[in-house]
Amino acid sequence: MRWLLLIATFASSAAMAQTEPLALASDAMAGQSYSLSIQILVLMTLLTLLPAAILSTSAFVRIIIVLSILRQALGTAQTPPNQVLLGIALFLTFFVMSPVISDIQTNAATPYIDGEISAPEAFSKGIEPLRRFMLDQTRDSDLQLFASIAGVSDIASVDDAPLSIVIPSFMVSELKTAFQIGFLVFIPFLVIDLVVSSVLMSMGMMMLSPMLISLPFKIMLFVMVDGWALLLGTLASSFYA
């Protein structure tokens, strides 16, 4: 009977000693799972914001605005459709940004994948070509505007401007340039609308829509001057200039 009590006591103490590490391990795993969930949540949040951030710091803004103004000038509400305009804008953006992407891959992405540089160093080297691209397209007046708003007055040169000033300045400059190009694109089609409207009014056909009559002439003019090649080529060359 005494042996049975000793065996039971030893078994219970062994079970308690075994359950304590298991409890500690489960608590550690729970903490690790909790921190992993937070990391996944932060990563997914960054991934949702990443496309907007990339498109806002590339040539996409200028291209898609000019293409939208062109469609408005032609008077075709849904032709080309939004998917086609987005596709053209994306592929033309990749074409314009190919030197920047190649520079980032050579100096930042490939060395980081090979383990030659750390993540902060790869980020600093990768952001530099994109920074130069944005500064080349940004007006000095816009940089000065956002620097004054931010209260930053100790910028020795444009290259020393922080990204918090460069990115909004770049976006405002791109919007200005896009609307300037859009204005020049709109003028020939506006002239056709005015001529057709004047002819219809002189003929007494005021009930007939001028947009309906001018649409074939605007499409014919755009096709005759090879408008797509002219517009896309001008947009691509405007960044390299």
Side-chain angles (χ1 to χ4, degrees), residues 139-216:
R139 295 175 175 84
D140 293 337
S141 59
D142 295 327
L143 280 173
Q144 294 174 2
L145 171 65
F146 283 95
S148 63
I149 293 174
V152 179
S153 59
D154 55 348
I155 300 177
S157 63
V158 176
D159 297 331
D160 297 332
L163 285 176
S164 59
I165 294 177
V166 173
I167 293 177
S169 303
F170 168 75
M171 293 184 65
V172 171
S173 294
E174 286 296 285
L175 289 173
K176 288 181 181 178
T177 306
F179 278 98
Q180 288 175 356
I181 298 174
F183 172 77
L184 296 177
V185 170
F186 216 108
I187 291 299
F189 303 108
L190 180 61
V191 171
I192 293 177
D193 286 334
L194 290 175
V195 170
V196 171
S197 178
S198 300
V199 170
L200 290 177
M201 289 185 65
S202 64
M203 296 176 63
M205 298 180 180
M206 291 177 292
M207 299 300 295
L208 189 60
S209 173
M211 297 292 295
L212 183 64
I213 304 300
S214 63
L215 179 60

Side-chain angles (χ1 to χ4, degrees), residues 83-144:
Q83 291 82 357
V84 175
L85 289 184
L86 288 174
I88 295 173
L90 283 174
F91 280 107
L92 190 59
T93 301
F94 285 131
F95 173 77
V96 172
M97 301 293 294
S98 57
V100 179
I101 296 173
S102 178
D103 197 355
I104 294 174
Q105 181 179 2
T106 303
N107 298 325
T110 302
Y112 175 71
I113 293 173
D114 295 338
E116 299 176 1
I117 58 177
S118 61
E121 187 178 358
F123 177 78
S124 62
K125 288 186 176 181
I127 204 67
E128 190 59 32
L130 190 61
R131 177 193 180 89
R132 289 198 303 267
F133 171 80
M134 289 190 290
L135 287 174
D136 289 340
Q137 314 301 324
T138 305
R139 295 175 175 84
D140 293 337
S141 59
D142 295 327
L143 280 173
Q144 294 174 2

